[in-house]
Amino acid sequence: KTALPATSKPTVSQYACQRRTTLDNQNKIFTDAFEVLAESNEFLDSRGQCLAFRRAASVLKSLQFTLRSLDDIEGLPCLGEQIKSVIEEIFEFRTCSKVEEILRDEKYQTLKLFTSVFGVGPKTAEKWYRKGLRTLKAVLAEPDIHLNKMQEAGFLYYEDISKSVSKADAQAVETLIKDTISYYSSDTKLFLTGGFRRGKEHGHDVDFILTTPEIGKEQALLLFLIDKFKNLGILLYSDFQESTFDIQKLPSCKFEAMDHFPKCFLILKLKTGEQTAGVQQNQNDSRDWKAIRVDLVAPPADRYAFAMLGWTGSTQFERDLRRYARKERRMLLDNHALYDKTKHAFLEAQTEEEIFDLLGLEYIEPWQRNA
Ligand code: DGT
Ligand code: MG
């Protein structure tokens, strides 16, 4: 056997889609710090800074060892001077003063609280903060705040949906949907996606892709399901968005834009088999259910692979897939399609493996996409 020279470390790609990132994070102390710094910059609307911290966290998550000294980060991508100094401070003090300062900051704490409500983003949270509001109770008591339907539901079921969803809950929802779609057609397919497909034990919601072998038949599927849930008395909230999908359109480079498939954001009543306090405070009835956030998306069967790849995440993995396609392959990728700008042609794929292949990437399993 010939030993590798001491200097030859495996190179780590700057793209998350060329790294294998499991849930076994060996550098949590650093990545937790970067997530706080990223979020604080998101609240400040500093997109570039926010992304820089997210990328750094993502690189460290992919390492199979814990950082011990500055030598360990030599040659790693996405770790600029600012990031290095945070890592250095954590080496020395086990904590970062900037992160501590953010965590103590009243504004950060308040924006974090407000954005934990379903339907409330950083912009709305900021608006409420500027009005002098500091608690959820204060928001509800403020006469000139108009909540939209989503936010109303967010407040009403806050106690349940602010807690994480377990894998067991996700499986229970899967069974429920499976039973219900059998009434639509026996060949409707249901796939768990999002964080649970990546092997996570907990999530903020449960994401599913549904499709039918016959193209076009998936169009009415979600409305059928919503109607059934309503009749079953388990539909607490539903926001249905119909298809705006156009096969001719080039894939969108913007990750933040939602895809164009029919989809719905739901809150469902899931039977738990145990008694819990009522949803509304000062309501002393008990209940044997909890509210769960569920997202459903119904792409046509020939778009299934792109939709599945796009909805499996993680967000950082998705961003880098698109960035890699554009910068390294002159291709445009989104949740609907892959377009080759050199050949001026759409590239078709039936499976995720085929999409990785078309991009010239090694296949990364869903549980290795926790970037
Ligand atoms: P969770 O639910 O917090 O445990 O984590 P995930 O990874 O399931 O995240 P979730 O449910 O917000 O989204 C599922 C996937 O869907 C996500 O990993 C990427 C995709 N996705 C979510 N939001 C967007 C978006 O605004 N645009 C695009 N293109 N994709 C999105
Ligand atoms: Mg999810």
Side-chain angles (χ1 to χ4, degrees):
K1 278 184 214 164
T2 43
L4 287 170
T7 49
S8 96
K9 280 196 228 168
T11 51
V12 175
S13 169
Q14 64 151 312
Y15 297 107
C17 54
Q18 289 187 307
R19 306 190 292 254
R20 294 174 199 273
T21 313
T22 64
L23 288 165
D24 179 23
N25 178 1
Q26 309 263 343
N27 290 288
K28 199 165 179 320
I29 185 166
F30 304 101
T31 59
D32 281 353
F34 290 136
E35 307 280 6
V36 172
L37 291 163
E39 193 168 35
S40 142
N41 276 285
E42 189 173 18
F43 289 155
L44 293 169
D45 212 12
S46 314
R47 201 182 126 76
Q49 285 276 43
C50 170
L51 269 183
F53 287 122
R54 292 240 153 91
R55 275 196 193 140
S58 177
V59 166
L60 299 192
K61 281 182 195 171
S62 75
L63 301 178
Q64 285 170 39
F65 59 91
T66 306
L67 298 181
R68 299 271 172 232
S69 75
L70 281 182
D71 288 344
D72 289 338
I73 58 174
E74 190 86 21
L76 291 178
C78 313
L79 308 179
E81 285 312 310
Q82 189 188 15
I83 307 275
K84 269 190 194 152
S85 71
V86 173
I87 296 178
E88 209 168 354
E89 202 184 334
I90 296 177
F91 279 144
E92 194 167 348
F93 304 107
R94 306 292 297 160
T95 174
C96 162
S97 53
K98 182 71 193 156
V99 172
E100 295 299 317
E101 190 188 312
I102 293 168
L103 291 174
R104 276 193 309 268
D105 181 51
E106 189 196 31
K107 182 166 181 186
Y108 173 82
Q109 291 173 2
T110 311
L111 296 185
K112 187 125 178 95
L113 173 70
F114 290 169
T115 54
S116 74
V117 178
F118 174 53
V120 180
K123 293 263 150 63
T124 305
E126 173 82 29
K127 207 169 69 193
W128 293 350
Y129 182 83
R130 283 190 189 193
K131 275 183 182 282
L133 304 170
R134 297 294 180 265
T135 63
L136 299 182
K137 238 186 181 158
V139 173
L140 289 174
E142 177 70 29
D144 55 272
I145 278 189
H146 175 77
L147 299 178
N148 63 31
K149 287 264 174 271
M150 197 180 250
Q151 294 160 347
E152 257 175 31
F155 275 102
L156 188 54
Y157 303 110
Y158 183 76
E159 242 194 89
D160 283 1
I161 61 183
S162 62
K163 290 189 195 115
S164 72
V165 180
S166 69
K167 209 178 200 168
D169 291 339
Q171 280 156 356
V173 177
E174 187 168 14
T175 306
L176 172 74
I177 300 177
K178 215 167 232 161
D179 291 346
T180 317
I181 53 173
S182 63
Y183 294 97
Y184 187 71
S185 75
S186 60
D187 57 1
T188 307
K189 295 203 164 57
L190 175 71
F191 304 93
L192 186 63
T193 183
F196 287 109
R197 182 168 183 243
R198 302 197 308 274
K200 278 174 64 174
E201 289 293 327
H202 297 277
H204 95 280
D205 65 0
V206 199
D207 307 289
F208 293 99
I209 291 185
L210 297 100
T211 193
T212 54
E214 189 185 325
I215 291 177
K217 198 169 173 184
E218 80 288 341
Q219 293 260 357
L221 176 56
L222 296 185
L223 284 176
F224 172 88
L225 264 182
I226 291 169
D227 202 49
K228 279 276 180 215
F229 292 152
K230 206 182 281 170
N231 293 336
L232 287 167
I234 58 167
L235 187 71
L236 298 173
Y237 171 83
S238 145
D239 172 12
F240 171 74
Q241 305 192 349
E242 63 184 298
S243 172
T244 50
F245 178 54
D246 174 359
I247 190 84
Q248 313 286 355
K249 251 196 218 141
L250 289 191
S252 143
C253 298
K254 275 211 192 106
F255 169 74
E256 273 67 25
M258 259 293 162
D259 66 43
H260 299 284
F261 301 125
K263 64 174 74 64
C264 57
F265 307 106
L266 307 175
I267 301 177
L268 295 182
K269 203 172 184 173
L270 184 73
K271 287 257 189 285
T272 55
E274 53 191 72
Q275 297 293 313
T276 331
V279 200
Q280 275 143 332
Q281 280 158 5
N282 63 38
Q283 194 181 308
N284 43 24
D285 61 332
S286 72
R287 58 193 170 106
D288 61 348
W289 58 270
K290 66 174 161 188
I292 300 242
R293 276 272 302 112
V294 177
D295 286 351
L296 307 179
V297 56
D302 61 345
R303 304 289 107 202
Y304 159 80
F306 295 100
M308 187 50 124
L309 182 58
W311 277 78
T312 299
S314 68
T315 301
Q316 207 50 39
F317 191 88
E318 300 296 332
R319 280 206 184 95
D320 278 2
L321 260 178
R322 291 173 185 215
R323 194 162 61 96
Y324 174 87
R326 199 174 66 246
K327 300 225 159 169
E328 306 295 331
R329 303 281 167 196
R330 279 184 44 84
M331 290 183 188
L332 301 174
L333 173 73
D334 70 3
N335 291 4
H336 319 95
L338 178 63
Y339 182 82
D340 188 325
K341 293 208 292 180
T342 311
K343 294 183 182 155
H344 303 285
F346 282 95
L347 307 179
E348 293 306 327
Q350 301 309 314
T351 63
E352 288 180 314
E353 282 87 343
E354 285 170 31
I355 304 174
F356 279 87
D357 222 32
L358 290 167
L359 288 166
L361 286 169
E362 274 179 40
Y363 183 64
I364 309 283
E365 299 283 357
W367 58 90
Q368 300 170 327
R369 298 182 203 164
N370 286 290

